[in-house]
Amino acid sequence: MKKYTGIWSAGIIILCWSLHLIYWIQTPLNWNNPFLYLGILIQTHLYTGLFISSHDAIHGVVSPEFPKLNHGIGRLCATLFAFNNYSLLRKKHHMHHAYVNTDQDPDVHQGNFFIWWFKFMFQYVHWTQILAMAITYNVLKIWFPMENIILIWELPAILATLQLFYFGTYLPHRGEHEANNIHQSRSQTKNHLWAFISCYNFGYHYEHHDKPFLPWWKLTEAKEQNSQISI
């Protein structure tokens, strides 16, 4: 069953994202209910999981033995995450790995946090994506309250984008790196629980660049090995 772990992982994330969205998008909102805010955070984390699953598919590790299924799952996850273009993500991400922290790297810009985030977003947002979001929003309004759509479907996607950028790009690549750092990236200190909560272990970013063939749940093992080497 181990060779199907990537499929199971992506499937569980898609299922949880869908069920959680279905529940909250039709539930009457009570601003005094603390579970509403917890629900927004959980949906944000599940959106991040969709992107990470799509990212793993880009590296071919969701279903290594079945490439068409692998990329099909990646495309589905990217589409569920605000209609992202999987083909564009795939092309740009491979450029990021090939030219990390150079002028040809589409993800790394350095400088002011918000300018960097804007440039990062500009690389991937396309007018067709915005159009698809607008159409879907107006269709959803036929059946569900506007507030629910914004808080449970739209806001978590925006927050997840910020989460992915901050923990998966900004912190690992900001500033100068030592000349012998061949991956021009750094990792957070070892804390597997926080690594999962913050960005599905992609705070262990040096490990990802060093071994891009590892799925997100295997990055903890890579971090353990690097920790042992550094002792």
Side-chain angles (χ1 to χ4, degrees), residues 17 25 27 33 39 49 59 75 90 102 114 118 141 144 155 162 193 205 207:
W17 177 89
I25 204 170
T27 299
N33 179 7
H59 287 287
R75 196 174 301 278
R90 188 180 177 190
T102 69
F114 292 102
F118 175 79
K141 278 202 308 181
F144 306 110
L155 178 61
L162 180 59
L193 177 60
H205 208 74
E207 288 73 17

Side-chain angles (χ1 to χ4, degrees), residues 129-201:
Q129 179 183 358
I130 297 173
L131 178 62
M133 287 289 289
I135 293 173
T136 305
Y137 170 78
N138 283 281
V139 171
L140 289 174
K141 278 202 308 181
I142 299 174
W143 296 288
F144 306 110
M146 178 183 68
E147 293 83 1
N148 292 59
I149 299 171
I150 293 173
L151 287 177
I152 304 301
W153 183 60
E154 292 183 339
L155 178 61
I158 296 171
L159 293 176
T161 302
L162 180 59
Q163 179 182 3
L164 286 159
F165 170 73
Y166 184 72
F167 290 104
T169 298
Y170 179 74
L171 289 182
H173 293 295
R174 77 190 190 284
E176 297 294 329
H177 300 270
E178 295 178 357
N180 62 352
N181 186 335
I182 60 174
H183 300 303
Q184 290 293 289
S185 58
R186 62 179 64 85
S187 290
Q188 66 178 77
T189 54
K190 187 175 68 174
N191 184 325
H192 297 335
L193 177 60
W194 174 240
F196 170 71
I197 292 173
S198 61
C199 200
Y200 289 76
N201 300 333

